[in-house]
Amino acid sequence: MKNLIIASTSTIYGLGYLEYLMPVLKDHFKNATTILFIPYARPGGISHDDYTAKVAEAFAQIDKKIVGLHTFENPVEAIEKAEGIFTGGGNTFLLVKQLYWHNVMLPLKEVLQNGAPYLGCSAGSNITGLTMETTNDMPIVYPPSFQTLGMVPFNINPHYLDPIEGSTHMGETRETRINEFHCFNSQPVLGLREGSWLEVHGSKITLKGSLTARLFRQNQSPIELETETDLSNLS
Amino acid sequence: MKNLIIASTSTIYGLGYLEYLMPVLKDHFKNATTILFIPYARPGGISHDDYTAKVAEAFAQIDKKIVGLHTFENPVEAIEKAEGIFTGGGNTFLLVKQLYWHNVMLPLKEVLQNGAPYLGCSAGSNITGLTMETTNDMPIVYPPSFQTLGMVPFNINPHYLDPIEGSTHMGETRETRINEFHCFNSQPVLGLREGSWLEVHGSKITLKGSLTARLFRQNQSPIELETETDLSNLS
């Protein structure tokens, strides 16, 4: 049965990397000695090694060893054998392109369906939705498809941002962008604010964290969902 | 010889649609009675007819007739015969998908190279660059390619936005996103603030409007360009 933490962000303003999630992660990865890290999204263009080292430092606090997927000659086998998996944030287009390039999108989907504990942050959360089409990222590379893992029956919009009051900028608000998505796509979109996450246990999906999340459904007005809302029947 | 206006935005805060550009457009389209409007980017999912009507209302001020590309049975022929062309803003992924779907990307490139006066705003400006990979838009549909018209030898980032001082949001700033683009792509990116535009006459490219623009080049620090800067040799 599925076992995922799908977080809006790795980092909350004023706290260290993954700090706000550590108590949750300690329990989530309790049966894993080593966690496989997928660094493909590479935020800011840092190297895979540097990104992996940053993650290892954070997970050392709960005595977990981190190994980067990029260090394996056979990444499919690495995914299949992983005790736990974490996909970090960065650019979703880059992440998805690399997952397809290394032929690990499908193996990743399979191990997650079979219960490997997973953590996604930001781009790593985006890919748990049906498609990556509600990412906020810039299309800096061209992936072979926008289809992603479908671990939840809707799309994720991480780092969800409310309209900035008094802004004179004429670019689209996040809400406008998601409404445009719904002109061409029917699946719900969950706007997860920084500090919120989803807990997926089997078929049960629960909103966690102290904030509300914003749910967008095609041809309906968006609504705010309270923490602990059960999203299992959302599709 | 090329003859383009490439504008960051259609609308400046507090003014009407295209209002700030009308004196420029009157001269730019002086030899055109009718302007062909490409409504494919469809902002907010309004219909092609409604979008075209909005544009027609604005251009009535300078006595131009507007016809929507979507009303032609043969869009390639409509492009080839156009006295002037305007591509409006909206979603760049949608626009590019539709341009390829209707097989008009290449014909559009050809007529622009041959001197048809062109106006682009926002998404309609994005496509004048080498690729659409520095759009700010959400990937709500999957285009067959990110390659665009290449009317300028660099990429455009419309609605360029400076980092918001004091923001606690952990999503990437525009500058960070463009730097990530440059981890994988070598062409310069011009961040055009709302109210700026490029004037392209033949091989001459000039920055217009009262604001500076921000130029990003691979492996170099970004710089601010003054209005009237000649960008002809930028590549």
Side-chain angles (χ1 to χ4, degrees):
Chain A
M1 61 174 240
K2 286 183 280 189
N3 187 18
L4 294 85
I5 301 282
I6 301 170
S8 174
T9 184
S10 63
T11 313
I12 287 182
Y13 182 75
L15 293 182
Y17 185 68
L18 290 174
E19 189 175 344
Y20 79 103
L21 270 178
M22 270 303 156
V24 174
L25 298 182
K26 192 171 178 178
D27 183 62
H28 185 62
F29 288 118
K30 61 180 183 291
N31 295 324
T33 308
T34 301
I35 297 167
L36 181 67
F37 175 58
I38 303 181
Y40 294 159
R42 290 182 64 174
I46 63 172
S47 74
H48 291 154
D49 282 343
D50 288 350
Y51 196 12
T52 304
K54 178 182 174 177
V55 171
E57 192 185 333
F59 274 95
Q61 298 168 46
I62 56 169
D63 297 320
K64 303 295 173 192
K65 191 182 160 200
I66 297 293
V67 289
L69 183 56
H70 65 291
T71 63
F72 289 84
E73 271 195 35
N74 186 336
V76 172
E77 190 184 57
I79 296 246
E80 285 168 351
K81 290 187 172 171
E83 298 171 318
I85 298 172
F86 169 36
T87 306
N91 185 286
T92 309
F93 292 86
L94 181 59
L95 171 59
V96 170
K97 183 176 179 176
Q98 293 292 311
L99 288 172
Y100 279 113
W101 177 262
H102 293 288
N103 293 313
V104 292
M105 187 69 93
L106 191 58
L108 181 56
K109 184 171 180 162
E110 283 171 358
V111 300
L112 298 190
Q113 274 167 337
N114 290 331
Y118 178 86
L119 167 67
C121 291
S122 192
S125 291
N126 233 312
I127 60 167
T128 65
L130 292 170
T131 74
M132 57 161 285
E133 289 170 309
T134 49
T135 177
N136 312 306
D137 293 337
M138 194 171 261
I140 60 174
V141 295
Y142 185 71
S145 167
F146 285 165
Q147 299 294 312
T148 47
L149 298 167
M151 287 298 110
V152 292
F154 46 85
N155 268 32
I156 306 281
N157 180 251
H159 300 282
Y160 182 75
L161 195 59
D162 293 290
I164 297 163
E165 220 169 304
S167 172
T168 60
H169 190 70
M170 304 304 285
E172 292 86 352
T173 64
R174 191 68 60 82
E175 182 157 330
T176 301
R177 294 173 194 274
I178 296 171
N179 287 338
E180 288 180 2
F181 172 79
H182 275 148
C183 293
F184 302 94
N185 301 275
S186 61
Q187 67 262 44
V189 179
L190 189 67
L192 273 180
R193 295 186 177 86
E194 293 176 348
S196 291
W197 67 94
L198 297 178
E199 185 185 87
V200 183
H201 280 155
S203 60
K204 188 163 186 201
I205 307 169
T206 313
L207 176 62
K208 295 285 182 177
S210 60
L211 305 170
T212 60
R214 197 159 179 84
L215 173 65
F216 299 85
R217 282 170 297 189
Q218 195 179 35
N219 302 323
Q220 296 183 44
S221 296
I223 58 170
E224 289 291 322
L225 301 180
E226 298 296 322
T227 184
E228 299 297 333
T229 296
D230 185 339
L231 295 161
S232 313
N233 296 315
L234 181 64
S235 65
Chain B
M1 62 173 240
K2 286 183 280 191
N3 187 18
L4 293 85
I5 301 282
I6 300 169
S8 173
T9 183
S10 62
T11 314
I12 287 182
Y13 183 75
L15 294 182
Y17 185 68
L18 291 175
E19 189 176 346
Y20 79 103
L21 269 179
M22 269 302 156
V24 174
L25 299 181
K26 191 171 179 179
D27 183 61
H28 185 62
F29 288 118
K30 62 181 182 292
N31 296 323
T33 307
T34 301
I35 296 167
L36 181 66
F37 175 58
I38 302 180
Y40 294 158
R42 291 183 63 177
I46 63 172
S47 74
H48 290 153
D49 282 343
D50 288 350
Y51 197 12
T52 305
K54 177 182 175 178
V55 171
E57 191 184 334
F59 274 96
Q61 298 167 46
I62 55 169
D63 297 321
K64 303 295 175 192
K65 190 182 160 199
I66 298 293
V67 289
L69 182 56
H70 64 291
T71 63
F72 289 84
E73 271 195 36
N74 186 335
V76 173
E77 190 183 58
I79 296 250
E80 286 167 351
K81 288 186 173 172
E83 298 171 318
I85 297 172
F86 170 34
T87 306
N91 184 286
T92 309
F93 292 86
L94 182 58
L95 171 60
V96 169
K97 182 175 181 176
Q98 293 291 311
L99 289 172
Y100 279 112
W101 177 262
H102 293 288
N103 293 313
V104 293
M105 187 69 93
L106 191 59
L108 181 56
K109 184 172 180 163
E110 283 172 357
V111 301
L112 298 190
Q113 274 167 336
N114 291 331
Y118 178 87
L119 167 67
C121 291
S122 191
S125 292
N126 234 311
I127 60 168
T128 65
L130 292 171
T131 74
M132 57 161 284
E133 289 170 309
T134 49
T135 177
N136 312 306
D137 294 337
M138 193 171 261
I140 60 174
V141 295
Y142 185 70
S145 167
F146 285 166
Q147 298 294 310
T148 47
L149 298 166
M151 288 297 111
V152 291
F154 46 85
N155 267 31
I156 306 282
N157 179 250
H159 299 282
Y160 182 76
L161 196 58
D162 294 289
I164 296 163
E165 218 169 308
S167 171
T168 59
H169 190 69
M170 301 305 284
E172 293 86 351
T173 64
R174 191 68 59 82
E175 183 157 328
T176 300
R177 294 172 194 275
I178 296 171
N179 287 339
E180 288 180 2
F181 172 79
H182 274 148
C183 293
F184 302 94
N185 302 274
S186 61
Q187 67 261 42
V189 178
L190 188 67
L192 273 180
R193 295 187 177 86
E194 294 178 347
S196 290
W197 68 93
L198 297 178
E199 184 186 88
V200 183
H201 279 155
S203 60
K204 189 164 185 199
I205 307 170
T206 313
L207 177 62
K208 294 285 182 177
S210 60
L211 305 169
T212 60
R214 196 158 180 85
L215 173 64
F216 299 84
R217 282 170 297 190
Q218 196 180 34
N219 302 324
Q220 296 184 45
S221 297
I223 58 171
E224 289 290 322
L225 302 179
E226 297 297 320
T227 183
E228 299 299 332
T229 295
D230 185 339
L231 295 162
S232 313
N233 295 316
L234 181 63
S235 66

